[in-house]
Amino acid sequence: MDLFNTVPIVVKQPKRFLIDESEYYCYDAHGRPVAHIHEVGLDGGMKALRFIADNTAGFARKLMVNDAWGYPRLYIEKSWAMFTATTTIAYPDGRPIGYIDQDFKLFKASFRLLDAWKQPVGAVKGNFGAFEFQITDNHEHEVGRVDRNFPSFGEFFTAADSYQVWQRYPNLPDPLKTLAVASGIAIDLVLLEGKR
């Protein structure tokens, strides 16, 4: 199962109580695993700080994306942020592929997609409730979507969220293709992860 050619990618967080550690599982439409994403470099001091903090939404987070066979495929790093956050999408060795840069828009979630040299290649535009996101290229042409699912009753009291990432074109060039796939994780990291 190839994470970059699966449509849709179903992204799910495990149900967690009192644990502030980023983790996601990715599946295809039939429930077969395509990736596991987990936080790396989280030491005991940071775990303790997150436990006592009221809100850790602005905290930095570093994640490794492993494919269905356990091989590292991507590294995602969300920077410390007060108001807007930048998320670096990189190869496992740290070489940047591009950036998902939060763009401040009143009442709407919006992101700029940038290449490794921070030149714009597209955008992610969310609706008012931040449940539907349109991924576009530089010409405002839709190349994908991210849909956040309404939480089930059991998820209301946990930190679990789930998303579906839809790519329109299988041959979308990089870095836009990789940024589109990673946007399902970056949206959650920036908008929801760590909020209580």
Side-chain angles (χ1 to χ4, degrees):
M1 301 306 302
D2 183 9
L3 172 67
F4 300 101
N5 294 302
T6 298
V7 180
I9 301 167
V10 180
V11 181
K12 291 184 173 277
Q13 284 182 297
K15 294 181 177 72
R16 300 166 295 172
F17 296 93
L18 302 175
I19 297 172
D20 191 357
E21 189 169 335
S22 298
E23 185 177 27
Y24 304 86
Y25 291 91
C26 298
Y27 304 93
D28 68 8
H30 304 288
R32 294 174 294 205
V34 294
H36 175 238
I37 301 150
H38 64 282
E39 195 161 358
V40 294
L42 188 60
D43 61 22
M46 182 54 69
K47 286 182 181 179
L49 180 60
R50 287 186 186 175
F51 183 77
I52 61 173
D54 286 335
N55 187 325
T56 62
F59 284 36
R61 293 176 188 267
K62 300 174 183 178
L63 294 88
M64 188 62 72
V65 179
N66 293 330
D67 64 19
W69 297 275
Y71 295 109
R73 296 295 300 273
L74 286 178
Y75 173 72
I76 299 174
E77 182 174 353
K78 185 196 126 200
S79 64
W80 285 89
M82 288 283 291
F83 302 107
T84 60
T86 296
T87 305
T88 303
I89 311 301
Y91 295 105
D93 63 7
R95 289 178 295 127
I97 297 169
Y99 303 89
I100 300 175
D101 199 16
Q102 189 179 11
D103 193 10
F104 181 77
K105 300 273 186 191
L106 202 58
F107 303 120
K108 288 189 177 181
S110 181
F111 301 84
R112 291 181 302 246
L113 301 179
L114 310 172
D115 66 14
W117 298 273
K118 300 202 172 177
Q119 298 301 308
V121 294
V124 178
K125 301 169 187 175
N127 66 354
F128 179 75
F131 277 92
E132 296 177 354
F133 297 85
Q134 179 188 40
I135 304 169
T136 63
D137 63 15
N138 267 345
H139 304 290
E140 300 285 323
H141 184 74
E142 183 177 300
V143 297
R145 298 191 65 78
V146 177
D147 298 324
R148 181 163 66 102
N149 298 332
F150 286 95
S152 67
F153 182 74
E155 292 171 337
F156 264 117
F157 306 104
T158 71
D161 289 297
S162 59
Y163 300 81
Q164 288 187 338
V165 181
W166 301 85
Q167 295 182 74
R168 271 188 183 267
Y169 306 106
N171 296 322
L172 196 65
D174 262 331
L176 190 54
K177 182 180 182 74
T178 300
L179 294 175
V181 169
S183 63
I185 304 301
I187 287 168
D188 188 77
L189 280 176
V190 172
L191 299 181
L192 295 166
E193 190 74 338
K195 290 188 176 176
R196 298 177 182 170

